[in-house]
């Protein structure tokens, strides 16, 4: 099955998107209007609202394949209304792998937050060599009220490509999102994402805090139609998040993450 992923990756204009982390993945893989350490993967403007430093790592097994996986690490250092973020991601298998290192800066201005960032990609394919590229991103969030937030995010607006693999574009997309807090237990998110030269995708999800330290999550996306579910545990500065996504043709992709808030 891994060779199918190699052919799929080489034939697509977008090699690989950001892994949102299991917290956001369980809610339909949206979350551009949320504030969390995993905002680094969706919309880094969200880290400007964080109060404490935090690190997290995640591992995803794609479609239960033995070799194809994604490993992700994120870290945030907040200072007053500023946020500094660092992210790392590795996707693929022995014959094909893509690595990403990202840095970003986010700033809060009352109810308005914005971010700018850089991402460096390196692609290695057996018998084809390696290539690299640098992309930019910018994100915004605006708290309309204590219960309602709207957001937007643009990644790779200059349509950067790998320097020696011009047929392979890097992720380029525009996202609009909202987050609504019904009460202290129930929240909902919805995103519309438009990749460059590809059909738009929509996703929505909910989070229900069963207990102060335990949450259930679920969501769907529409292009293609996928279902997501998962849960989170937040106890004594340690966060554990688990998600499973279901692709209609390729099957299930489980993911787990552990984080620590200093």
């Amino acid at each position: 099955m891994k060779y199918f992923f190699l052919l799929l990756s080489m034939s697509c204009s977008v090699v690989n998107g950001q892994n949102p982390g299991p917290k956001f993945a369980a809610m339909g893989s949206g979350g551009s209007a949320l504030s969390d350490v995993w905002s680094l993967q969706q919309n880094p403007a969200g880290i400007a609202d964080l109060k404490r430093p935090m690190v997290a790592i995640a591992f995803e097994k794609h479609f239960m394949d033995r070799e194809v996986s994604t490993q992700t690490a994120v870290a945030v250092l907040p200072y007053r209304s500023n946020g500094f973020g660092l992210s790392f991601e590795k996707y693929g298998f022995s014959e094909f792998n893509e690595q990403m290192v990202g840095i970003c800066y986010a700033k809060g201005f009352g109810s308005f937050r914005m971010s700018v960032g850089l991402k460096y990609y390196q692609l290695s394919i057996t018998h084809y060599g390696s290539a690299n590229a640098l992309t930019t991103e910018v994100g915004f969030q605006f708290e309309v009220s204590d219960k309602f937030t709207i957001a937007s995010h643009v990644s790779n607006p200059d349509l950067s490509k790998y320097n020696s693999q011009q047929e392979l574009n890097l992720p380029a997309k525009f996202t609009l999102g909202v987050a609504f807090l019904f009460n202290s237990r129930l929240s909902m998110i919805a995103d519309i994402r438009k990749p460059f030269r590809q059909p738009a995708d929509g996703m929505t999800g909910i989070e229900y805090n069963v207990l102060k330290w335990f949450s259930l999550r679920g969501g769907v996306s529409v292009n293609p139609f996928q279902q997501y579910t998962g849960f989170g545990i937040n106890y004594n500065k340690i966060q554990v998040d688990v998600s499973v996504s279901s692709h209609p043709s390729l099957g299930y992709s489980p993911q787990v993450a552990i984080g620590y808030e200093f």
Side-chain angles (χ1 to χ4, degrees):
M1 188 175 183
K2 64 182 181 180
Y3 297 104
F4 167 77
F5 281 93
L6 177 59
L7 293 173
L8 178 65
S9 298
M10 294 182 66
S11 63
C12 292
S13 61
V14 176
V15 177
N16 184 34
Q18 299 285 112
N19 172 30
K23 180 175 181 177
F24 289 4
M27 301 172 69
S29 285
S32 64
L34 296 177
S35 294
D36 189 84
V37 67
W38 289 106
S39 294
L40 286 172
Q41 299 294 90
Q42 294 288 65
N43 182 6
I47 71 172
D49 198 40
L50 300 182
K51 307 303 181 186
R52 294 179 177 273
M54 187 171 181
V55 296
I57 57 175
F59 179 81
E60 181 177 13
K61 180 63 69 174
H62 293 279
F63 313 117
M64 302 302 293
D65 185 85
R66 186 174 61 182
E67 294 191 44
V68 184
S69 64
T70 297
Q71 302 91 45
T72 310
V74 290
V76 170
L77 178 64
Y79 178 71
R80 297 183 180 177
S81 58
N82 303 276
F84 303 89
L86 179 66
S87 58
F88 170 81
E89 183 173 299
K90 182 178 180 180
Y91 162 82
F93 48 92
S94 56
E95 288 87 358
F96 174 97
N97 72 81
E98 182 185 45
Q99 300 183 61
M100 180 277 294
V101 176
I103 58 172
C104 73
Y105 168 72
K107 173 71 174 178
F109 304 90
S111 59
F112 179 76
R113 298 182 286 269
M114 67 174 296
S115 67
V116 293
L118 295 173
K119 285 185 168 63
Y120 174 79
Y121 289 84
Q122 184 177 61
L123 175 69
S124 298
I125 306 176
T126 301
H127 305 308
Y128 284 85
S130 62
N132 55 72
L134 186 68
T135 70
T136 60
E137 65 176 334
V138 60
F140 306 92
Q141 289 184 347
F142 178 65
E143 289 187 2
V144 180
S145 69
D146 292 340
K147 295 183 179 296
F148 184 61
T149 301
I150 60 176
S152 65
H153 178 255
V154 181
S155 64
N156 193 22
D158 54 346
L159 303 179
S160 294
K161 300 180 179 181
Y162 283 109
N163 56 2
S164 62
Q165 299 288 340
Q166 291 297 310
E167 72 277 10
L168 295 180
N169 289 354
L170 282 149
K173 58 183 180 289
F174 174 72
T175 303
L176 285 174
V178 298
F180 188 78
L181 180 66
F182 292 96
N183 51 52
S184 60
R185 287 179 174 266
L186 182 64
S187 60
M188 179 179 180
I189 64 96
D191 281 20
I192 296 176
R193 185 176 299 155
K194 179 60 175 73
F196 181 67
R197 291 179 178 173
Q198 293 190 29
D201 191 10
M203 55 278 298
T204 185
I206 60 172
E207 180 179 50
Y208 180 69
N209 298 318
V210 181
L211 301 170
K212 185 177 181 179
W213 53 271
F214 181 73
S215 302
L216 292 176
R217 303 169 182 133
V220 297
S221 62
V222 299
N223 187 28
F225 180 78
Q226 297 187 71
Q227 303 172 70
Y228 307 80
T229 188
F231 64 87
I233 297 173
N234 189 343
Y235 181 76
N236 197 25
K237 297 185 178 181
I238 296 177
Q239 296 184 13
V240 177
D241 296 297
V242 175
S243 71
V244 178
S245 64
S246 174
H247 190 281
S249 302
L250 300 177
Y252 297 96
S253 296
Q255 183 176 181
V256 62
I258 184 169
Y260 184 80
E261 184 181 65
F262 294 90

